[in-house]
Amino acid sequence: MNLPPKTVTCKCGHAYATELKESWCIKCGHRVFYYEKDRRSNKIRNYFMLSMGLVILTFLMYIIIEVLVKPLTTM
């Protein structure tokens, strides 16, 4: 479903007309959104995924330290 043409501007300053809800800037490669609400939800989703990745990485490091390093130091 195409929307009415709208001129959107990327963070890099490049402006062009689009009819899609989400597209990519040809100049810098960032996502450009038709609606401001979609841009905000994408930003929140990116922060959430980054924080979940850090939580998982921290948990794996804790497990490695508890399982491998602690027994080796008590020998």
Side-chain angles (χ1 to χ4, degrees):
M1 175 173 87
N2 286 344
L3 301 166
K6 178 181 177 182
T7 302
V8 292
T9 305
C10 181
K11 287 190 270 186
C12 69
H14 181 105
Y16 60 95
T18 185
E19 297 175 351
L20 303 172
K21 278 184 143 182
E22 155 184 336
S23 58
W24 297 90
C25 177
I26 354 179
K27 192 172 180 183
C28 66
H30 286 103
R31 279 187 180 173
V32 181
F33 296 96
Y34 192 87
Y35 296 114
E36 185 68 20
K37 179 183 77 167
D38 293 338
R39 185 188 65 80
R40 282 187 301 236
S41 66
N42 182 57
K43 191 174 184 180
I44 292 170
R45 189 175 339 138
N46 286 343
Y47 284 138
F48 177 76
M49 293 303 290
L50 178 65
S51 63
M52 286 298 108
L54 289 174
V55 166
I56 291 170
L57 183 64
T58 303
F59 177 72
L60 289 176
M61 290 302 296
Y62 172 75
I63 295 298
I64 288 171
I65 289 171
E66 286 293 319
V67 171
L68 295 176
V69 176
K70 243 184 175 180
L72 290 175
T73 57
T74 59
M75 292 175 96

